[in-house]
Amino acid sequence: MSEALVQIQDLVKKFPVRGGIFQRQIATVDAVDGVNLDIMAGQSVGLVGESGCGKTTLGRMLVRLLEPTSGSIIFDGEDITHLKQKQLKPFRNRVQIIFQDPYSSLDPRTQVGESISEGLKLHGVGNRKERRERVNRMLDLVGLEPGHANRYPHEFSGGQRQRIGLARALILEPDFVVADEPVSALDVSVQAQVLNLLKELQRELDLTLLFIAHNLGVVEHISDRVAVMYLGRIVEITEREALYANPTHPYTQALLSAIPIPDPDRPRNRTILQGDVPSPINSPPGCHFHPRCTIAQPGICDVEIPTLLQVGDDSEHLAACHVRTGAYQHLEPPVLKKP
């Protein structure tokens, strides 16, 4: 079994909420709330959840675009959580990110060839001729022509711009790539092309990939393992086949039941969640999902924070649910005070 290239330990990110004339801090947004996750070398891990659950924040912390509030990020055996900007330069050579919007992440006044080669310049890789040759090879690898290097972003379609984003992220031959919803802004037919391309590039370049999405159908196509996130916490993680065949956490079951089925005559067994996602400014105590959960146990789920525990005999299948893992049976009920 391969070793963990990325290890996330108790990672937390809080954003201050300011208000009033003097812009004092009046609240805190718990964007990421104690995440633990190992990403094995050469593996593709899908991270899914509703909008606002903290997926993008987690991905940006892993590439150090955001500073963690607490916890640690171990990359290839080195703690990179608190490295200064100068110390991060060798790390950035090995880690890249693909942004969600392929247009806004490109400079409209810069030719795409210059955008792609910018990382090579910053890291002092090759001379001008060698960088141009490398850009041409990368454009060919992502299905574009070398002549496209002289064009500007507005001259390309959405799918072509995302291919340019792929080329820019991979030009330095990184070990680890965070793909932040790279196909959510594309048409369905173009999504399939970009997903197949990304899967092929991962195999050819031996990439380790964190694929962030809210579409479980897309994640199934590209991921080896899947982690489900809800309101800043990971609630379930396992191998792809096990998750889709045997979802354990009630939230995972609800997400899977929402995947469209192309056969209109096939019966559906939808799990409709009640209520809205709670605000991360005022997260519920205990299990964050308990206000919307139909199997929540009063006095347990609304008090105790569930930890990721093994599901059945599968040591790779972990879920954070007091009921489904049987953990609540070992918890003592709260002592009620006499009036």
Side-chain angles (χ1 to χ4, degrees), residues 38-50:
D38 288 349
I39 303 175
M40 303 300 170
Q43 200 172 56
S44 175
V45 175
L47 183 64
V48 298
E50 293 171 285

Side-chain angles (χ1 to χ4, degrees), residues 18-157:
R18 304 185 184 278
I21 298 176
F22 299 104
Q23 289 296 295
R24 294 192 178 98
Q25 182 174 337
I26 58 176
T28 300
V29 175
D30 298 324
V32 176
D33 190 11
V35 167
N36 293 279
L37 178 65
D38 288 349
I39 303 175
M40 303 300 170
Q43 200 172 56
S44 175
V45 175
L47 183 64
V48 298
E50 293 171 285
S51 297
C53 72
K55 306 184 301 294
T56 295
T57 301
L58 177 61
R60 292 187 176 222
M61 282 195 289
L62 294 187
V63 298
R64 285 295 308 275
L65 291 180
L66 289 175
E67 296 293 325
T69 302
S70 63
S72 61
I73 304 168
I74 311 296
F75 179 78
D76 200 12
E78 180 184 2
D79 190 341
I80 55 96
T81 316
H82 303 293
L83 292 182
K84 305 299 182 184
Q85 289 300 318
K86 290 184 179 180
Q87 297 171 313
L88 278 172
K89 192 170 184 178
F91 163 76
R92 298 201 185 283
N93 196 18
R94 302 181 62 191
V95 174
Q96 291 294 315
I97 184 171
I98 303 168
F99 294 99
Q100 178 177 358
D101 187 348
Y103 189 73
S104 63
S105 61
L106 295 171
D107 188 342
R109 298 169 296 180
T110 303
Q111 293 176 337
V112 299
E114 291 296 317
S115 294
I116 294 172
S117 65
E118 188 174 6
L120 298 174
K121 292 180 184 178
L122 292 174
H123 289 274
V125 178
N127 54 37
R128 185 179 182 86
K129 181 181 178 181
E130 291 170 339
R131 289 195 294 267
R132 173 54 69 98
E133 291 175 351
R134 196 158 171 174
V135 168
N136 290 341
R137 287 198 303 269
M138 185 55 64
L139 285 171
D140 181 65
L141 192 61
V142 299
L144 297 175
E145 298 178 4
H148 288 157
N150 300 320
R151 298 184 182 180
Y152 292 87
H154 72 272
E155 299 180 68
F156 296 91
S157 66

